[in-house]
Amino acid sequence: NAGVTQTPKFQVLKTGQSMTLQCAQDMNHEYMSWYRQDPGMGLRLIHYSVGAGITDQGEVPNGYNVSRSTTEDFPLRLLSAAPSQTSVYFCASSYSWLAGAQPNTDTQYFGPGTRLTVL
Amino acid sequence: AQSVTQLDSQVPVFEEAPVELRCNYSSSVSVYLFWYVQYPNQGLQLLLKYLSGSTLVESINGFEAEFNKSQTSFHLRKPSVHISDTAEYFCAVRANYGGSQGNLIFGKGTKLSVKP
């Protein structure tokens, strides 16, 4: 298994440009999520999905869109990039989002991250 | 809703000294607790987790954490650190009550710096 993969690893955008960060997992996980990591802020949840066709907002969703057309893929779209979106973005997945699911399948697995700079 | 407080943003320590990274959480329901580690320029890796049972959990590289329900804490400890333990450590919680939203909530991280 490749686990959770993210592309690209690095990206530089100009203000106002749009782009899509790709995330894929090959573990047949129901739950996928996107976080952003900023210095001193830890990881903050942007959007998440509990299954194909189902998405919801996290703590910091503004400026980002997601879709989940397949179980494997969960792309994150920046509609009009702003310097405040300069960050490291992590995708994660786990077997299930439901509390009370079998505990051994509850661990979230993280991708290697995408470092995004918006000028 | 859940929240996590990591009490120290940076912890400098000498090699072979003991270390404790503190984590407190707040939740109205029972939680699962996790510690993740992030080595420089890498993604997050699960270090250890508490789901149920014994309140003391251990990792393969000598770290341990103890779930203290009365103090709502999940502090991470290692009796003797190595240079290679230099990393940022994140405490995280997730609700374990059936039907509750199961998103992982992170603390702001603690940077452990091990000096020779």
Side-chain angles (χ1 to χ4, degrees):
Chain A
N1 286 352
V4 180
T5 58
Q6 291 183 238
T7 56
K9 290 188 177 181
F10 302 94
Q11 184 70 50
V12 179
L13 292 178
K14 295 181 180 179
T15 297
Q17 287 185 316
S18 63
M19 78 158 294
T20 300
L21 279 62
Q22 301 292 343
C23 173
Q25 51 89 12
D26 61 358
M27 298 174 281
N28 201 31
H29 283 172
E30 284 187 347
Y31 180 92
M32 297 185 74
S33 56
W34 277 102
Y35 293 87
R36 60 177 289 173
Q37 182 182 23
D38 302 291
M41 300 294 291
L43 280 82
R44 294 180 291 170
L45 184 65
I46 304 172
H47 285 284
Y48 64 97
S49 168
V50 300
I54 306 170
T55 64
D56 206 346
Q57 297 180 352
E59 180 185 356
V60 288
N62 292 342
Y64 307 96
N65 272 359
V66 292
S67 60
R68 185 95 179 268
S69 57
T70 67
T71 299
E72 295 78 19
D73 300 298
F74 190 44
L76 178 72
R77 296 182 186 86
L78 279 70
L79 308 174
S80 177
S84 61
Q85 293 178 303
T86 293
S87 187
V88 181
Y89 292 84
F90 289 100
C91 179
S93 74
S94 66
Y95 178 77
S96 174
W97 78 286
L98 286 175
Q102 293 182 22
N104 287 337
T105 58
D106 198 53
T107 301
Q108 283 209 34
Y109 297 88
F110 283 80
T114 294
R115 186 175 294 273
L116 176 67
T117 301
V118 183
L119 303 175
Chain B
Q2 294 75 46
S3 67
V4 179
T5 301
Q6 291 185 243
L7 297 160
D8 306 293
S9 59
Q10 298 189 45
V11 173
V13 64
F14 288 106
E15 193 173 19
E16 297 184 3
V19 70
E20 178 180 78
L21 307 184
R22 297 180 292 169
C23 172
N24 287 93
Y25 70 92
S26 172
S27 177
S28 58
V29 300
S30 296
V31 295
Y32 295 144
L33 293 156
F34 304 83
W35 276 100
Y36 281 84
V37 58
Q38 184 180 33
Y39 298 104
N41 299 313
Q42 294 188 25
L44 277 76
Q45 304 173 31
L46 180 66
L47 186 61
L48 47 75
K49 61 184 177 182
Y50 170 78
L51 303 178
S52 64
S54 173
T55 57
L56 183 66
V57 291
E58 299 177 350
S59 72
I60 59 174
N61 57 353
F63 282 94
E64 65 179 28
E66 186 162 18
F67 170 53
N68 188 319
K69 188 175 182 179
S70 63
Q71 296 187 1
T72 61
S73 68
F74 190 55
H75 301 332
L76 182 69
R77 302 183 181 94
K78 189 171 185 179
S80 176
V81 295
H82 303 290
I83 298 287
S84 59
D85 293 324
T86 294
E88 189 161 16
Y89 293 79
F90 293 93
C91 182
V93 301
R94 190 174 182 184
N96 73 351
Y97 180 76
S100 291
Q101 199 172 55
N103 291 319
L104 198 60
I105 307 299
F106 284 88
K108 294 185 177 182
T110 297
K111 291 185 178 179
L112 175 64
S113 175
V114 182
K115 303 177 181 182

